[in-house]
Coordinates of all heavy atoms in Angstrom, one line a residue:
M1 N 0.8 -1.2 0.0 CA 0.0 0.0 0.0 C 0.9 1.2 0.0 O 1.9 1.3 0.7 CB -0.9 0.0 1.2 CG -2.3 -0.5 0.8 SD -3.7 0.4 1.6 CE -3.1 1.0 3.1
N2 N 0.4 2.2 -0.8 CA 1.2 3.4 -0.9 C 0.4 4.6 -0.3 O -0.6 5.1 -0.9 CB 1.4 3.7 -2.4 CG 2.6 4.6 -2.6 OD1 3.2 5.2 -1.6 ND2 3.0 4.8 -3.8
P3 N 0.7 5.0 0.9 CA -0.2 6.0 1.6 C -0.1 7.3 0.9 O 1.0 7.7 0.4 CB 0.4 6.0 3.0 CG 1.8 5.5 2.9 CD 1.8 4.6 1.8
Q4 N -1.2 8.0 0.8 CA -1.2 9.3 0.2 C -1.6 10.3 1.2 O -2.4 10.0 2.1 CB -2.2 9.3 -1.0 CG -1.8 8.4 -2.1 CD -2.6 8.7 -3.4 OE1 -3.8 8.9 -3.3 NE2 -1.9 8.7 -4.5
R5 N -1.1 11.5 1.1 CA -1.4 12.6 2.0 C -1.8 13.8 1.2 O -1.3 14.0 0.1 CB -0.2 12.8 2.9 CG 0.2 11.7 3.8 CD -0.8 11.5 4.9 NE -0.4 10.4 5.8 CZ -0.8 9.1 5.7 NH1 -1.6 8.8 4.7 NH2 -0.4 8.2 6.5
M6 N -2.5 14.7 1.9 CA -2.8 15.9 1.2 C -1.8 17.1 1.5 O -1.5 17.3 2.6 CB -4.2 16.4 1.7 CG -4.8 17.4 0.7 SD -6.2 18.3 1.5 CE -7.4 17.1 1.5
C7 N -1.4 17.7 0.4 CA -0.5 18.8 0.4 C -1.3 20.0 1.0 O -2.4 20.3 0.5 CB 0.1 19.1 -0.9 SG 0.9 20.7 -1.1
V8 N -0.7 20.8 1.9 CA -1.4 21.9 2.5 C -1.6 23.0 1.5 O -2.4 23.9 1.8 CB -0.7 22.4 3.8 CG1 -0.7 21.4 4.9 CG2 0.7 22.9 3.5
V9 N -0.9 23.0 0.4 CA -1.0 24.1 -0.5 C -1.9 23.8 -1.7 O -2.9 24.4 -1.9 CB 0.4 24.6 -1.0 CG1 0.3 25.7 -2.1 CG2 1.3 25.0 0.1
C10 N -1.5 22.8 -2.4 CA -2.3 22.5 -3.6 C -3.5 21.5 -3.4 O -4.3 21.4 -4.2 CB -1.4 21.9 -4.7 SG -0.7 20.3 -4.3
R11 N -3.5 20.9 -2.1 CA -4.7 20.1 -1.7 C -4.8 18.8 -2.6 O -5.8 18.2 -2.6 CB -6.0 20.8 -1.8 CG -6.0 22.1 -1.0 CD -6.7 21.9 0.3 NE -6.2 22.9 1.3 CZ -6.2 22.7 2.6 NH1 -6.7 21.7 3.1 NH2 -5.8 23.6 3.4
N12 N -3.7 18.5 -3.3 CA -3.7 17.2 -4.0 C -3.3 16.1 -3.1 O -2.5 16.3 -2.2 CB -2.8 17.3 -5.2 CG -3.3 18.2 -6.3 OD1 -4.5 18.2 -6.6 ND2 -2.4 18.8 -7.0
L13 N -3.8 14.9 -3.4 CA -3.4 13.7 -2.7 C -2.1 13.2 -3.4 O -2.1 13.0 -4.6 CB -4.4 12.6 -2.7 CG -5.6 12.9 -1.6 CD1 -6.7 11.8 -1.9 CD2 -5.0 12.8 -0.2
V14 N -1.1 13.1 -2.6 CA 0.2 12.8 -3.2 C 0.9 11.7 -2.4 O 0.7 11.6 -1.2 CB 1.1 14.1 -3.1 CG1 2.5 13.8 -3.6 CG2 0.5 15.3 -3.8
P15 N 1.6 10.7 -3.1 CA 2.3 9.7 -2.4 C 3.2 10.2 -1.3 O 3.9 11.2 -1.6 CB 3.0 8.9 -3.5 CG 2.3 9.3 -4.7 CD 1.8 10.6 -4.5
R16 N 3.3 9.6 -0.2 CA 4.0 10.1 0.9 C 5.5 10.5 0.6 O 6.0 11.4 1.1 CB 4.0 9.0 2.0 CG 4.8 9.2 3.2 CD 4.4 10.4 4.0 NE 5.4 10.7 5.1 CZ 6.4 11.5 4.9 NH1 6.6 12.1 3.7 NH2 7.3 11.8 5.8
E17 N 6.1 9.7 -0.3 CA 7.5 9.9 -0.5 C 7.8 11.2 -1.3 O 8.9 11.7 -1.5 CB 8.2 8.7 -1.2 CG 7.7 8.4 -2.6 CD 6.5 7.5 -2.6 OE1 5.9 7.3 -1.6 OE2 6.3 6.9 -3.7
K18 N 6.7 11.8 -1.9 CA 6.9 13.0 -2.6 C 6.5 14.2 -1.8 O 6.3 15.3 -2.4 CB 6.0 13.0 -3.9 CG 6.5 11.9 -4.9 CD 5.8 12.1 -6.2 CE 6.5 11.1 -7.2 NZ 5.6 10.7 -8.2
L19 N 6.4 14.0 -0.5 CA 6.0 15.1 0.4 C 7.0 15.3 1.5 O 7.7 14.4 1.9 CB 4.7 14.8 1.0 CG 3.5 14.7 0.1 CD1 2.4 13.8 0.7 CD2 2.9 16.0 -0.3
F20 N 7.2 16.5 2.0 CA 7.8 16.8 3.2 C 6.8 16.8 4.3 O 5.7 17.3 4.1 CB 8.6 18.1 3.3 CG 9.7 18.2 2.3 CD1 9.8 19.1 1.3 CD2 10.8 17.3 2.5 CE1 10.9 19.2 0.4 CE2 11.9 17.4 1.6 CZ 11.9 18.4 0.6
R21 N 7.1 16.3 5.5 CA 6.2 16.4 6.6 C 6.8 17.4 7.6 O 7.9 17.3 8.1 CB 6.1 15.0 7.3 CG 5.1 15.0 8.5 CD 4.9 13.6 9.0 NE 3.8 13.6 10.0 CZ 4.0 13.6 11.3 NH1 5.2 13.6 11.8 NH2 2.9 13.6 12.1
V22 N 5.9 18.3 8.0 CA 6.3 19.3 9.1 C 5.5 18.8 10.3 O 4.3 18.6 10.3 CB 5.9 20.7 8.7 CG1 6.2 21.7 9.8 CG2 6.8 21.1 7.5
A23 N 6.2 18.7 11.4 CA 5.6 18.2 12.6 C 5.7 19.3 13.7 O 6.6 20.0 13.8 CB 6.4 16.9 13.1
K24 N 4.6 19.3 14.5 CA 4.6 20.2 15.7 C 4.9 19.4 16.9 O 4.2 18.5 17.3 CB 3.2 20.8 15.8 CG 3.1 21.8 16.8 CD 1.6 22.3 16.9 CE 1.6 23.5 17.9 NZ 0.2 24.0 18.0
T25 N 6.0 19.7 17.5 CA 6.4 19.0 18.7 C 6.4 20.0 19.9 O 6.1 21.2 19.7 CB 7.9 18.5 18.6 OG1 8.8 19.6 18.7 CG2 8.1 17.8 17.3
S26 N 6.6 19.5 21.1 CA 6.6 20.4 22.3 C 7.7 21.4 22.2 O 7.7 22.4 22.8 CB 6.7 19.6 23.6 OG 7.7 18.6 23.4
D27 N 8.8 21.1 21.4 CA 9.9 22.1 21.3 C 9.7 23.0 20.1 O 10.6 23.7 19.8 CB 11.2 21.3 21.0 CG 11.6 20.4 22.2 OD1 11.2 20.9 23.4 OD2 12.2 19.4 22.0
G28 N 8.6 22.9 19.4 CA 8.4 23.7 18.2 C 8.2 22.9 17.0 O 8.0 21.7 17.0
F29 N 8.4 23.5 15.8 CA 8.2 22.8 14.6 C 9.5 22.3 14.0 O 10.6 22.8 14.2 CB 7.6 23.8 13.5 CG 6.2 24.2 13.9 CD1 5.9 25.4 14.6 CD2 5.1 23.4 13.5 CE1 4.6 25.7 15.0 CE2 3.8 23.7 13.8 CZ 3.6 24.9 14.6
C30 N 9.4 21.2 13.3 CA 10.6 20.6 12.7 C 10.1 19.9 11.4 O 8.9 19.6 11.3 CB 11.4 19.7 13.6 SG 10.5 18.3 14.1
I31 N 11.0 19.6 10.6 CA 10.7 18.8 9.4 C 11.1 17.4 9.7 O 12.2 17.1 10.1 CB 11.5 19.3 8.2 CG1 11.1 20.8 7.9 CG2 11.2 18.5 6.9 CD1 11.9 21.5 6.9
D32 N 10.1 16.5 9.6 CA 10.2 15.2 10.0 C 10.6 14.3 8.9 O 9.8 13.6 8.2 CB 8.8 14.8 10.5 CG 8.7 13.3 11.0 OD1 9.8 12.7 11.2 OD2 7.6 12.8 11.3
F33 N 11.9 14.3 8.6 CA 12.4 13.6 7.4 C 12.2 12.1 7.5 O 11.9 11.4 6.5 CB 13.9 13.8 7.2 CG 14.2 15.2 6.8 CD1 14.7 16.1 7.7 CD2 13.9 15.6 5.5 CE1 15.0 17.4 7.3 CE2 14.1 16.9 5.1 CZ 14.7 17.8 6.0
A34 N 12.3 11.5 8.7 CA 12.1 10.1 8.9 C 10.7 9.6 9.0 O 10.4 8.4 9.1 CB 13.0 9.6 10.0
N35 N 9.8 10.6 9.1 CA 8.4 10.3 9.3 C 8.2 9.5 10.6 O 7.4 8.5 10.7 CB 7.8 9.5 8.1 CG 6.3 9.6 8.1 OD1 5.7 10.5 8.6 ND2 5.7 8.6 7.5
K36 N 8.9 9.9 11.6 CA 8.9 9.1 12.9 C 8.3 9.9 14.0 O 8.2 9.4 15.1 CB 10.3 8.7 13.2 CG 10.9 7.6 12.3 CD 11.0 6.3 12.9 CE 11.2 5.2 12.0 NZ 12.6 5.2 11.4
I37 N 8.1 11.2 13.8 CA 7.7 12.0 15.0 C 6.2 11.8 15.2 O 5.4 12.1 14.3 CB 8.1 13.5 14.7 CG1 9.6 13.6 14.6 CG2 7.6 14.3 15.9 CD1 10.1 15.0 14.2
N38 N 5.9 11.4 16.4 CA 4.5 11.1 16.7 C 3.8 12.3 17.2 O 3.7 12.5 18.4 CB 4.5 9.9 17.8 CG 3.1 9.4 18.0 OD1 2.2 9.7 17.2 ND2 2.9 8.7 19.1
S39 N 3.4 13.1 16.3 CA 2.7 14.4 16.7 C 2.0 14.9 15.5 O 2.0 14.3 14.5 CB 3.8 15.4 17.2 OG 4.5 15.8 16.0
R40 N 1.3 16.0 15.7 CA 0.5 16.5 14.6 C 1.5 16.9 13.5 O 2.6 17.5 13.7 CB -0.2 17.8 15.0 CG -1.6 17.6 15.5 CD -2.5 18.8 15.3 NE -2.8 19.0 13.9 CZ -3.3 20.1 13.4 NH1 -3.5 21.1 14.1 NH2 -3.6 20.2 12.1
G41 N 1.1 16.6 12.3 CA 1.9 16.9 11.1 C 1.1 17.5 10.0 O -0.1 17.4 10.0
A42 N 1.8 18.1 9.1 CA 1.2 18.6 7.9 C 2.2 18.3 6.7 O 3.4 18.3 6.9 CB 0.9 20.1 8.0
Y43 N 1.6 18.1 5.6 CA 2.4 17.7 4.5 C 2.5 18.7 3.4 O 1.5 19.5 3.2 CB 1.9 16.4 3.9 CG 2.0 15.2 4.8 CD1 1.0 15.0 5.7 CD2 3.1 14.4 4.8 CE1 1.1 13.9 6.6 CE2 3.2 13.3 5.6 CZ 2.2 13.1 6.6 OH 2.3 12.0 7.4
I44 N 3.6 18.8 2.7 CA 3.7 19.7 1.5 C 4.5 19.0 0.4 O 5.5 18.3 0.7 CB 4.4 21.0 1.9 CG1 4.4 22.0 0.8 CG2 5.8 20.8 2.5 CD1 4.6 23.4 1.2
C45 N 4.1 19.2 -0.8 CA 4.9 18.6 -2.0 C 6.3 19.0 -1.9 O 6.7 20.2 -1.6 CB 4.3 19.1 -3.3 SG 2.6 18.7 -3.6
K46 N 7.2 18.1 -2.4 CA 8.6 18.5 -2.6 C 8.7 19.2 -3.9 O 9.3 18.8 -4.9 CB 9.5 17.2 -2.6 CG 9.5 16.5 -1.3 CD 10.3 15.2 -1.4 CE 10.4 14.5 -0.1 NZ 11.1 13.2 -0.2
D47 N 8.1 20.4 -3.9 CA 7.9 21.1 -5.2 C 8.0 22.6 -4.9 O 7.4 23.1 -3.9 CB 6.5 20.8 -5.7 CG 6.2 21.6 -7.0 OD1 5.8 22.8 -6.9 OD2 6.4 21.0 -8.1
K48 N 8.9 23.2 -5.7 CA 9.2 24.6 -5.4 C 7.9 25.5 -5.4 O 7.8 26.4 -4.6 CB 10.1 25.1 -6.6 CG 11.1 26.2 -6.1 CD 12.1 26.4 -7.3 CE 13.2 27.2 -6.8 NZ 14.3 27.3 -7.8
N49 N 7.0 25.3 -6.4 CA 5.8 26.1 -6.4 C 5.0 26.0 -5.1 O 4.6 27.0 -4.6 CB 5.0 25.8 -7.6 CG 5.7 26.1 -8.9 OD1 6.4 27.1 -9.0 ND2 5.4 25.3 -9.9
C50 N 4.8 24.8 -4.7 CA 4.0 24.6 -3.5 C 4.8 25.3 -2.3 O 4.1 25.9 -1.4 CB 3.8 23.1 -3.2 SG 2.5 22.5 -4.2
I51 N 6.1 25.1 -2.2 CA 6.8 25.6 -1.1 C 6.8 27.1 -1.1 O 6.7 27.7 0.0 CB 8.2 24.9 -1.0 CG1 8.0 23.5 -0.6 CG2 9.1 25.7 -0.1 CD1 9.2 22.6 -0.7
L52 N 7.0 27.7 -2.2 CA 7.0 29.2 -2.3 C 5.6 29.7 -1.9 O 5.5 30.7 -1.3 CB 7.5 29.7 -3.6 CG 9.0 29.4 -3.9 CD1 9.4 29.9 -5.3 CD2 9.9 30.0 -2.9
S53 N 4.6 29.1 -2.4 CA 3.3 29.7 -2.1 C 2.8 29.3 -0.7 O 2.0 30.0 -0.1 CB 2.2 29.3 -3.1 OG 2.3 28.0 -3.5
A54 N 3.4 28.3 -0.1 CA 3.1 28.1 1.3 C 3.4 29.3 2.2 O 2.6 29.6 3.1 CB 3.9 26.9 1.8
R55 N 4.5 29.9 2.0 CA 4.9 31.0 2.8 C 3.9 32.2 2.5 O 3.4 32.8 3.4 CB 6.3 31.5 2.5 CG 6.8 32.5 3.6 CD 8.0 33.2 3.1 NE 9.3 32.5 3.0 CZ 10.2 32.4 3.9 NH1 10.1 33.0 5.1 NH2 11.3 31.7 3.7
K56 N 3.6 32.4 1.2 CA 2.7 33.5 0.9 C 1.3 33.3 1.5 O 0.7 34.3 1.9 CB 2.6 33.6 -0.6 CG 3.8 34.4 -1.2 CD 3.6 34.5 -2.8 CE 4.9 34.2 -3.5 NZ 4.6 33.5 -4.8
K57 N 0.9 32.1 1.4 CA -0.5 31.8 1.9 C -0.5 31.4 3.4 O -1.6 31.1 3.9 CB -1.0 30.6 1.1 CG -1.3 30.8 -0.3 CD -1.8 29.5 -0.9 CE -2.1 29.7 -2.4 NZ -2.5 28.4 -3.0
S58 N 0.6 31.4 4.0 CA 0.7 31.0 5.4 C 0.0 29.6 5.6 O -0.8 29.4 6.5 CB 0.0 32.0 6.4 OG 0.6 33.3 6.2
A59 N 0.3 28.7 4.7 CA -0.4 27.5 4.7 C -0.2 26.6 6.0 O -1.1 26.0 6.4 CB 0.1 26.6 3.5
F60 N 1.0 26.7 6.5 CA 1.2 25.9 7.7 C 0.5 26.5 8.9 O 0.0 25.9 9.8 CB 2.7 25.7 8.0 CG 3.3 24.7 7.0 CD1 4.2 25.1 6.1 CD2 2.9 23.3 7.1 CE1 4.8 24.2 5.2 CE2 3.5 22.4 6.2 CZ 4.4 22.8 5.3
E61 N 0.5 27.9 9.0 CA -0.2 28.6 10.1 C -1.6 28.1 10.1 O -2.2 27.9 11.1 CB -0.1 30.1 9.9 CG 1.2 30.7 10.4 CD 2.3 30.7 9.4 OE1 2.2 30.0 8.4 OE2 3.3 31.4 9.6
R62 N -2.2 28.1 8.9 CA -3.6 27.7 8.8 C -3.8 26.2 9.3 O -4.7 25.9 10.0 CB -4.1 27.7 7.4 CG -4.6 29.1 7.0 CD -4.9 29.1 5.5 NE -4.5 30.4 5.0 CZ -5.4 31.1 4.2 NH1 -6.5 30.6 3.9 NH2 -5.0 32.3 3.8
S63 N -2.9 25.4 8.8 CA -3.0 24.0 9.1 C -2.9 23.7 10.6 O -3.6 22.9 11.1 CB -2.0 23.2 8.3 OG -2.0 21.8 8.6
F64 N -1.9 24.4 11.2 CA -1.7 24.1 12.6 C -2.5 25.1 13.5 O -2.4 24.9 14.7 CB -0.2 24.2 12.9 CG 0.6 23.1 12.4 CD1 1.5 23.3 11.3 CD2 0.6 21.8 12.9 CE1 2.3 22.3 10.8 CE2 1.3 20.8 12.4 CZ 2.2 21.0 11.4
S65 N -3.1 26.1 12.9 CA -3.8 27.1 13.7 C -2.9 27.7 14.7 O -3.2 28.0 15.9 CB -5.0 26.6 14.4 OG -5.9 25.9 13.5
S66 N -1.6 27.9 14.3 CA -0.7 28.6 15.2 C 0.4 29.2 14.4 O 0.6 28.9 13.2 CB -0.2 27.7 16.3 OG 0.8 26.9 15.7
K67 N 1.2 30.1 15.0 CA 2.3 30.7 14.4 C 3.4 29.6 14.2 O 3.5 28.7 15.0 CB 2.8 31.8 15.4 CG 3.8 32.8 14.8 CD 3.0 33.9 14.1 CE 4.0 34.8 13.4 NZ 4.1 34.7 12.0
I68 N 4.1 29.7 13.1 CA 5.1 28.7 12.9 C 6.4 29.4 12.6 O 6.5 30.5 11.9 CB 4.7 27.7 11.8 CG1 5.9 27.1 11.0 CG2 3.6 28.2 10.9 CD1 5.5 25.9 10.2
D69 N 7.5 28.8 13.1 CA 8.8 29.4 12.9 C 9.2 29.6 11.4 O 9.1 28.7 10.6 CB 9.8 28.4 13.5 CG 11.2 29.0 13.7 OD1 11.5 29.9 13.0 OD2 11.9 28.5 14.6
S70 N 9.5 30.8 11.0 CA 9.8 31.1 9.6 C 11.0 30.3 9.1 O 11.2 30.1 7.9 CB 10.0 32.6 9.4 OG 11.2 33.0 10.0
K71 N 11.8 29.7 10.0 CA 12.9 28.9 9.6 C 12.4 27.6 8.9 O 13.2 27.1 8.1 CB 13.7 28.5 10.9 CG 14.9 29.4 11.1 CD 15.8 28.9 12.2 CE 15.6 29.7 13.5 NZ 16.1 29.0 14.7
I72 N 11.2 27.2 9.2 CA 10.7 26.0 8.5 C 10.5 26.4 7.0 O 10.9 25.6 6.2 CB 9.3 25.6 9.1 CG1 9.5 25.1 10.6 CG2 8.6 24.6 8.3 CD1 10.2 23.8 10.7
Y73 N 10.0 27.5 6.8 CA 9.9 27.9 5.3 C 11.3 28.1 4.7 O 11.5 27.6 3.6 CB 9.1 29.2 5.2 CG 7.7 29.1 5.6 CD1 7.1 29.8 6.6 CD2 6.8 28.3 4.8 CE1 5.8 29.7 6.9 CE2 5.5 28.2 5.1 CZ 4.9 28.9 6.1 OH 3.6 28.8 6.4
D74 N 12.2 28.7 5.5 CA 13.6 28.8 4.9 C 14.2 27.5 4.6 O 14.8 27.3 3.5 CB 14.5 29.5 5.9 CG 14.0 30.9 6.3 OD1 13.3 31.5 5.5 OD2 14.4 31.4 7.4
T75 N 14.0 26.5 5.5 CA 14.6 25.2 5.3 C 14.0 24.5 4.1 O 14.7 23.9 3.2 CB 14.5 24.4 6.5 OG1 15.0 25.1 7.6 CG2 15.2 23.1 6.4
L76 N 12.7 24.6 4.0 CA 12.0 24.0 2.9 C 12.4 24.6 1.5 O 12.7 23.9 0.6 CB 10.5 24.1 3.0 CG 9.8 23.3 4.1 CD1 8.4 23.7 4.3 CD2 9.8 21.8 3.8
E77 N 12.6 25.9 1.5 CA 13.0 26.5 0.3 C 14.4 26.1 -0.1 O 14.7 25.9 -1.2 CB 12.9 28.1 0.4 CG 11.5 28.5 0.4 CD 11.3 30.0 0.7 OE1 12.3 30.8 0.8 OE2 10.1 30.4 0.9
E78 N 15.3 26.0 0.9 CA 16.6 25.5 0.6 C 16.6 24.1 0.1 O 17.4 23.8 -0.8 CB 17.5 25.5 1.9 CG 18.1 26.8 2.3 CD 18.5 26.9 3.7 OE1 19.0 25.9 4.3 OE2 18.5 28.0 4.3
L79 N 15.7 23.3 0.6 CA 15.7 21.9 0.1 C 15.3 21.8 -1.3 O 15.7 20.8 -2.0 CB 14.7 21.1 1.0 CG 15.1 20.8 2.4 CD1 14.0 20.3 3.3 CD2 16.2 19.7 2.4
V80 N 14.5 22.7 -1.8 CA 14.1 22.6 -3.2 C 14.9 23.5 -4.1 O 14.7 23.5 -5.3 CB 12.6 22.8 -3.4 CG1 11.7 21.7 -2.9 CG2 12.2 24.2 -2.9
N81 N 15.8 24.3 -3.5 CA 16.5 25.2 -4.3 C 17.7 24.7 -5.0 O 18.2 25.3 -6.0 CB 16.9 26.4 -3.5 CG 16.1 27.7 -3.8 OD1 15.6 27.7 -4.9 ND2 16.0 28.6 -2.9
D82 N 18.2 23.5 -4.6 CA 19.4 23.1 -5.2 C 19.2 22.2 -6.4 O 20.1 21.7 -7.1 CB 20.3 22.3 -4.2 CG 19.6 21.5 -3.2 OD1 18.6 20.8 -3.7 OD2 19.9 21.5 -2.1
D83 N 17.9 22.0 -6.8 CA 17.7 21.4 -8.2 C 17.8 22.5 -9.2 O 17.2 23.5 -9.2 CB 16.4 20.7 -8.3 CG 15.2 21.6 -8.1 OD1 15.3 22.6 -7.3 OD2 14.1 21.3 -8.6
K84 N 18.8 22.4 -10.1 CA 19.2 23.4 -11.0 C 18.2 23.6 -12.2 O 17.8 22.6 -12.7 CB 20.6 23.2 -11.5 CG 21.5 22.7 -10.5 CD 22.4 23.8 -9.9 CE 23.0 23.7 -8.6 NZ 23.0 22.5 -7.8
Ligands
ZN101 ZN1 1.4 20.6 -3.3

């Protein structure tokens, strides 16, 4: 079985491996690369367009109903920026 999750930006159902998971922990937000963090999470496509519009639309703020560290957006942007 190939689990699918909804991207917080484009709202498409996407296979898990094509998404980044952002998790809300007691220490704040982090990107859950191993998909092991047992806490609320939100998914976003590993796609520059989705990641850039996430910041503009405050997609994670909406999803978590709270303020989120802007470093999460910075990190996501860095992750998709090295594809030339
Ligand atoms: Zn997306």
Side-chain angles (χ1 to χ4, degrees):
M1 260 221 331
N2 201 354
Q4 295 194 317
R5 296 288 183 268
M6 196 197 285
C7 169
V8 292
V9 178
C10 66
R11 307 258 156 203
N12 288 325
L13 282 173
V14 178
R16 174 63 192 88
E17 67 270 16
K18 295 193 173 153
L19 298 156
F20 293 120
R21 181 174 191 263
V22 174
K24 184 183 188 180
T25 73
S26 47
D27 297 327
F29 290 93
C30 65
I31 301 172
D32 180 12
F33 290 106
N35 199 26
K36 290 253 165 72
I37 299 172
N38 189 15
S39 67
R40 268 209 73 195
Y43 295 86
I44 185 164
C45 299
K46 294 178 178 174
D47 178 277
K48 212 171 191 169
N49 293 328
C50 281
I51 287 170
L52 292 178
S53 45
R55 194 198 291 265
K56 280 183 226 143
K57 294 181 180 174
S58 303
F60 287 112
E61 277 86 347
R62 273 174 217 229
S63 177
F64 289 108
S65 307
S66 77
K67 198 84 183 106
I68 149 164
D69 192 334
S70 66
K71 268 188 254 164
I72 293 292
Y73 290 117
D74 296 339
T75 307
L76 288 169
E77 285 171 15
E78 279 163 31
L79 286 165
V80 289
N81 251 338
D82 40 41
D83 59 335
K84 314 262 158 8

